[in-house]
Amino acid sequence: MRKSRRDQAGRLAVWVLVGPYVVFLVAFGLAPAAFGLWTSLGSWGEVFGDYRLGAAVRNVALYLVLWLPVLVLLVLSLALTLHARPGRFAGVMRFVYYLPGAVTGSAAALLWLFMMSPDVSPFGPLLGALGIGSASQALQGDGLIGVLVVMGVAIHAGGWIVVLYGALTALPRDVLEAAAVDGATPWRITRHVKLPLVRRYVAFVLISSFASGTQVFVEPTVLETSARGQISPTWSVNQLAYFYATQEGDFGRAAALSLAMLAVGLVAALLVIYKTRFYRTDAV
Amino acid sequence: MTRRAFLALAGVFFVLPLVWMVLAPTRTADSLIGGPPLAFGSIANVASAWGNLMAYNDGELAGWIGNSVGYAAASVALTLLLSIPAGYALAKHDFAGRRAVLTLTLIGMILPQTALVLPLYLEMTAAGLTGTPWSVILPLAFYPFGVYLAYLHFASALPGAILDAGRVDGAGELRLFLTIGLPLARPAIGLIAFFGFVNVWTNFFLPFVMLDDDRTFTLQLGLMSLLQSTGAVNASSGFSSLNIHQPEAALAGLVACAPTLAAFLVAQRALRTGMLAGAEKG
């Protein structure tokens, strides 16, 4: 009798501790998704019939096709190069790559607009060689995707380099040494030993970046407001959903489209958890 | 040698924009356009650029800074209040629904935050909260990565035997948390506050959607309206009566990034651990 009352008090205590978080989890995680689903009923057909959706999907797809390979290759090659010759220089460089991650959102858009303006940019000669005479020219046509790719790489590469480098330093030393003793060249060790061992991390980088890339919103929005008329306000899928909600006042379509995007993110999240087993806790 | 050259070349790409942003406010607009892009001007120029920024819309920038600080402080405080006890309970207690809460927390961590912004906006509109600071503070206080960090910390740093000893002495579960768990949570509090702060401070999409009165804007939102009047893109579109040019815009950008840059410098040691993984999204 005493014991069970104690158990009951214990259960109550646990919910005092975890309850407030669960309330927030429901209110700002599950509820908006459920409410969105309710709001979206009847609007799905309209959304998928909208000609602007096709254009937005093409834009985002092209952005991903260019950005993802550049990001992953750069991150991998820099992390492997840093790891091949660790030391003071490598330590400093690792930090240098990481810093631009602090400049995000509208600050990043502002900074890179200046970087694309030949009259003030330290990359002036490079821009000249590419035939870019002004920031507005850099944003014209497919130039926008180029600017977004460069921005996206500068912002995200550093954090991933740190993660991948951390994974490399955690590799078992004896395996790498055994390969070296067997006469494997540094290149062969990288290609056949290190790379397969950090595959899980590369998959994690790829899936997470894919998920966040599909949701691209901030950068094209900020670039659009500063170069009005040049860039479509419905350039990306999320921008189109935002446009539905705020410019056309159509919450049904906005909800349908953002739920479709949510589903893409959810699939990616589940892939990370169950396929790459990146978060190995006893919960999954 | 080629290795070093490759690393250094990449370093130039990453660091040159930052160096430019630090140097640009020390110049005048004319010297920036006519002279070398990377050179130090004078401190007096920084002061005059700051003066021009502060004069913009009667000191609106100061209000934006205040808003950003206020939203971040409130939201991080709430995050800590929610995530430390929750992480402790998830790590040290088995209860019905624990698995579900943990799995949803993991999903919330990995899911790009932007994916939920518009559904949140629809929900907040129905609740009549859009336009208020709460529409930004409350959703950002839900920070699954913070709960995950607290969970990891308590799972590894707090042996169950200590709690059992306390139970034998007759201490209740809440008392055990307050007297044993909480004092041990200090490293986790630091980490969660760091990542939570960076997350709130740099967030753009959520306040952009929720807030429409420019007096409630965050610094990230304010920067966008500044950008429109700098003529960085269309030289002709800048309002000539405003003294907002490239040095002023660069200074505003620097102010917006300064807290995150400072946080990164302080947190350099944490970079060695793989702890950053979950912060890399959105």
Side-chain angles (χ1 to χ4, degrees), chain B residues 155-175:
Chain B
S156 64
L158 177 57
I162 298 185
L163 296 176
D164 285 338
R167 284 185 192 115
V168 170
D169 289 345
E173 293 301 329
L174 286 180
R175 219 189 128 107

Side-chain angles (χ1 to χ4, degrees), chain B residues 168-189:
Chain B
V168 170
D169 289 345
E173 293 301 329
L174 286 180
R175 219 189 128 107
L176 285 177
F177 168 70
L178 290 174
T179 55
I180 302 177
L182 209 50
L184 276 174
R186 278 185 60 170
I189 291 176

Side-chain angles (χ1 to χ4, degrees), chain B:
Chain B
M1 206 54 227
T2 48
R3 245 188 224 143
R4 278 196 164 221
F6 173 57
L7 292 178
L9 198 67
V12 167
F13 164 71
F14 282 108
V15 87
L16 224 48
L18 299 185
V19 173
W20 183 89
M21 189 167 61
V22 172
L23 288 175
T26 70
R27 312 275 296 278
T28 62
D30 290 338
S31 95
L32 200 55
I33 291 168
L38 297 174
F40 182 79
S42 73
I43 295 295
N45 286 338
V46 181
S48 103
W50 181 250
N52 290 338
L53 269 183
M54 278 300 145
Y56 176 81
N57 278 3
D58 295 328
E60 200 163 33
L61 187 82
W64 293 334
I65 295 175
N67 290 341
S68 274
V69 171
Y71 300 166
S75 172
V76 170
L78 259 177
T79 296
L80 287 172
L81 281 176
L82 295 172
S83 55
I84 297 289
Y88 171 86
L90 288 167
K92 292 296 154 195
H93 287 279
D94 201 5
F95 54 94
R98 171 175 177 273
R99 230 182 115 100
V101 172
L102 267 176
T103 307
L104 284 172
T105 299
L106 276 183
I107 292 174
M109 267 171 71
I110 303 165
L111 194 72
Q113 277 180 339
T114 38
L116 266 176
V117 167
L118 281 170
L120 271 169
Y121 171 71
L122 304 181
E123 186 191 48
M124 286 292 183
T125 309
L129 280 175
T130 44
T132 67
W134 295 113
S135 63
V136 175
I137 294 170
L138 293 178
L140 288 174
F142 167 54
Y143 188 49
F145 184 54
V147 174
Y148 179 72
L149 283 178
Y151 164 74
L152 279 189
H153 175 75
F154 284 118
S156 64
L158 177 57
I162 298 185
L163 296 176
D164 285 338
R167 284 185 192 115
V168 170
D169 289 345
E173 293 301 329
L174 286 180
R175 219 189 128 107
L176 285 177
F177 168 70
L178 290 174
T179 55
I180 302 177
L182 209 50
L184 276 174
R186 278 185 60 170
I189 291 176
L191 265 184
I192 297 167
F194 168 72
F195 286 118
F197 172 77
V198 172
N199 181 47
V200 179
W201 186 268
T202 59
N203 202 303
F204 178 89
F205 195 7
L206 187 80
F208 178 73
V209 168
M210 296 288 183
L211 307 173
D212 49 10
D213 183 344
D214 57 1
R215 281 166 305 181
T216 60
F217 275 9
T218 63
L219 196 46
Q220 286 274 342
L221 293 186
L223 264 188
M224 195 177 71
S225 28
L226 260 181
L227 191 57
Q228 290 162 21
S229 36
T230 56
V233 182
N234 302 318
S236 55
S237 78
F239 302 103
S240 50
S241 59
L242 285 176
N243 266 321
I244 301 296
H245 301 289
Q246 290 88 344
E248 284 80 11
L251 183 59
L254 195 59
V255 170
C257 305
T260 10
L261 277 170
F264 274 28
L265 286 168
V266 172
Q268 232 212 101
R269 250 184 297 160
L271 298 185
R272 282 164 203 281
T273 70
M275 282 268 186
L276 285 157
E280 280 302 315
K281 51 167 192 156

Side-chain angles (χ1 to χ4, degrees), chain A residues 44 214-215 256-270, chain B residues 111 115:
Chain A
W44 291 82
T214 55
Q215 314 277 342
L257 193 51
S258 38
L259 282 180
M261 298 299 289
L262 185 65
V264 173
L266 201 59
V267 169
L270 293 174
Chain B
L111 194 72

Side-chain angles (χ1 to χ4, degrees), chain A:
Chain A
M1 190 62 208
R2 246 187 82 85
K3 189 168 189 322
S4 86
R5 192 178 300 155
R6 209 195 140 107
D7 276 0
Q8 234 166 19
R11 258 206 301 279
L12 188 70
V14 167
W15 282 102
V16 168
L17 293 173
V18 81
Y21 167 66
V22 172
V23 169
F24 271 66
L25 178 74
V26 171
F28 304 113
L30 297 176
F35 183 68
L37 194 63
W38 168 252
T39 315
S40 74
L41 295 176
S43 298
W44 291 82
E46 266 179 281
V47 169
F48 288 111
D50 190 332
Y51 71 98
R52 289 169 297 185
L53 181 62
V57 169
R58 263 196 306 280
N59 287 334
V60 173
L62 185 59
Y63 167 66
L64 286 174
V65 163
L66 292 171
W67 174 62
L68 274 182
V70 173
L71 179 74
V72 172
L73 285 178
L74 189 74
V75 164
L76 250 184
S77 54
L78 284 175
L80 287 168
T81 313
L82 285 172
H83 188 246
R85 185 79 50 87
R88 251 187 97 83
F89 181 69
V92 171
M93 280 330 225
R94 201 159 43 103
F95 187 59
V96 161
Y97 302 153
Y98 187 58
L99 274 184
V103 187
T104 62
S106 53
L110 179 136
L111 184 56
W112 281 98
L113 275 175
F114 285 132
M115 294 301 107
M116 296 293 159
S117 311
D119 47 358
V120 298
S121 169
F123 298 109
L126 192 64
L127 294 170
L130 291 169
I132 293 167
S134 69
S136 109
Q137 200 186 335
L139 292 174
Q140 257 161 28
D142 288 339
L144 172 65
I145 290 198
V147 174
L148 288 176
V149 167
V150 172
M151 272 174 65
V153 168
I155 295 171
H156 296 286
W160 290 129
I161 291 171
V162 172
V163 169
L164 218 57
Y165 183 84
L168 284 166
T169 49
L171 292 183
R173 217 160 235 294
D174 47 338
V175 175
L176 300 181
E177 274 164 11
V181 170
D182 285 349
T185 61
W187 166 250
R188 285 183 67 88
I189 295 180
T190 298
R191 172 72 188 76
H192 294 286
V193 181
K194 288 184 188 173
L195 212 47
L197 283 173
V198 295
R199 218 175 31 202
R200 209 160 58 85
Y201 287 85
V202 177
F204 177 59
V205 174
L206 206 61
I207 299 169
S208 309
S209 303
F210 171 82
S212 67
T214 55
Q215 314 277 342
V216 63
F217 178 88
V218 180
E219 292 85 358
T221 301
V222 178
L223 294 179
E224 190 262 325
T225 50
S226 45
R228 222 172 255 295
Q230 273 194 41
I231 304 168
S232 162
T234 60
W235 187 86
S236 79
V237 183
N238 254 337
Q239 280 179 294
L240 180 59
Y242 172 74
F243 197 80
Y244 285 152
T246 58
Q247 304 298 308
E248 300 180 348
D250 190 331
F251 282 14
R253 276 187 284 154
L257 193 51
S258 38
L259 282 180
M261 298 299 289
L262 185 65
V264 173
L266 201 59
V267 169
L270 293 174
L271 272 179
V272 167
I273 295 175
Y274 292 105
K275 281 289 175 201
T276 74
R277 303 220 147 254
F278 197 83
Y279 295 98
R280 279 170 304 171
T281 66
D282 59 356
V284 288

